[in-house]
Amino acid sequence: MSLLENKKIVVIGDRDGIPGPAIEACVNTVDNTEVVFSSTECFV
């Protein structure tokens, strides 16, 4: 059982770090999770 299983996930990635779609791809490997928002932002 995963910590993220059966959860709704909000993903905020960093332009100079790990982008949102990469985190979302990892989260989608967990059963019964739903990504409700995914974005890549620039934090200056």
Side-chain angles (χ1 to χ4, degrees):
M1 186 166 154
S2 171
L3 181 67
L4 299 176
E5 194 171 359
N6 299 317
K7 304 285 184 187
K8 294 182 188 272
I9 310 295
V10 174
V11 175
I12 301 175
D14 184 21
R15 184 191 74 178
D16 295 330
I18 303 172
I23 300 170
E24 184 177 356
C26 293
V27 169
N28 285 334
T29 63
V30 179
D31 292 332
N32 299 322
T33 59
E34 179 184 357
V35 176
V36 293
F37 178 77
S38 178
S39 179
T40 300
E41 302 293 330
C42 178
F43 299 102
V44 178

